[in-house]
Amino acid sequence: MSLLTPQPTVDRETYRSVFREYAGDVIVVTLDGTDGPHGFTATSLTSVSAQPPIVSFVINEASSSWPALREAPTAVINLLDASHTDIARTFATHGADRFGAATPWHRLDSGEPVLTLAPIALRVEITHRIPAGEQHVVLAQVSQVRVVGTREPLLYWAGDYRRIAS
């Protein structure tokens, strides 16, 4: 007995509507490019392996950060708090001044930009960039972890940023 009925094609809007119902933890990936710092909002962070510590995330090839990420050896994954909706929106908005005065950030000793307010930041070394449709799946090994305090996750669900109801 098959649980899923095979479909010859699934249209883009149907596919997207299904995943609007899937809550994703909001992250901002920051990195350096030859023209300065870059960053983008994503909800695709996955723990792939604990030993060695490997994560994955996804970036659209149309993202303004993709050319820099395509060449970058390292990046920082900033796990946002539920109070960081403005930061998430800034890094998700095309053409926004992502590293302007409204965004507290600094550089790690190794040089990568990191969001100062992110309660958790993972410095990663990028090992693979795998084309997948209009996206690229990025595999990266975690080389450094910064944890500051506790965190209430910021989620993206049904087209908006949400917090977990208590």
Side-chain angles (χ1 to χ4, degrees):
M1 175 169 99
S2 174
L3 297 177
L4 296 175
T5 304
Q7 299 285 328
T9 61
V10 176
D11 68 273
R12 179 183 178 98
E13 195 49 45
T14 299
Y15 182 81
R16 291 181 66 153
S17 71
V18 168
F19 277 90
R20 281 187 200 106
E21 297 302 316
Y22 180 78
D25 195 358
V26 180
I27 63 169
V28 169
V29 178
T30 53
L31 59 133
D32 251 335
T34 57
D35 57 346
H38 287 264
F40 60 96
T41 300
T43 57
S44 56
L45 181 66
T46 302
S47 172
V48 175
S49 170
Q51 192 58 37
I54 297 173
V55 296
S56 70
F57 59 89
V58 177
I59 183 172
N60 189 293
E61 64 187 16
S63 168
S64 61
S65 295
W66 170 241
L69 185 61
R70 184 178 52 224
E71 304 301 324
T74 61
V76 176
I77 299 169
N78 301 270
L79 282 75
L80 300 183
D81 183 77
S83 64
H84 297 150
T85 302
D86 289 345
I87 293 172
R89 279 192 170 85
T90 296
F91 280 85
T93 302
H94 182 74
D97 185 4
R98 296 175 179 159
F99 292 92
T103 305
W105 68 282
H106 63 278
R107 291 191 179 276
L108 296 175
D109 290 342
S110 51
E112 297 87 358
V114 61
L115 300 180
T116 304
L117 298 177
I120 300 174
L122 310 173
R123 180 181 181 272
V124 298
E125 297 182 28
I126 298 168
T127 60
H128 297 84
R129 295 163 187 85
I130 304 163
E134 61 194 12
Q135 311 290 328
H136 290 268
V137 178
V138 179
L139 291 172
Q141 186 165 335
V142 178
S143 61
Q144 195 175 355
V145 175
R146 182 193 78 180
V147 179
V148 180
T150 59
R151 170 181 175 264
E152 178 187 349
L154 176 61
L155 301 177
Y156 191 76
W157 177 73
D160 204 2
Y161 297 102
R162 314 283 178 143
R163 54 187 340 139
I164 296 174
S166 328

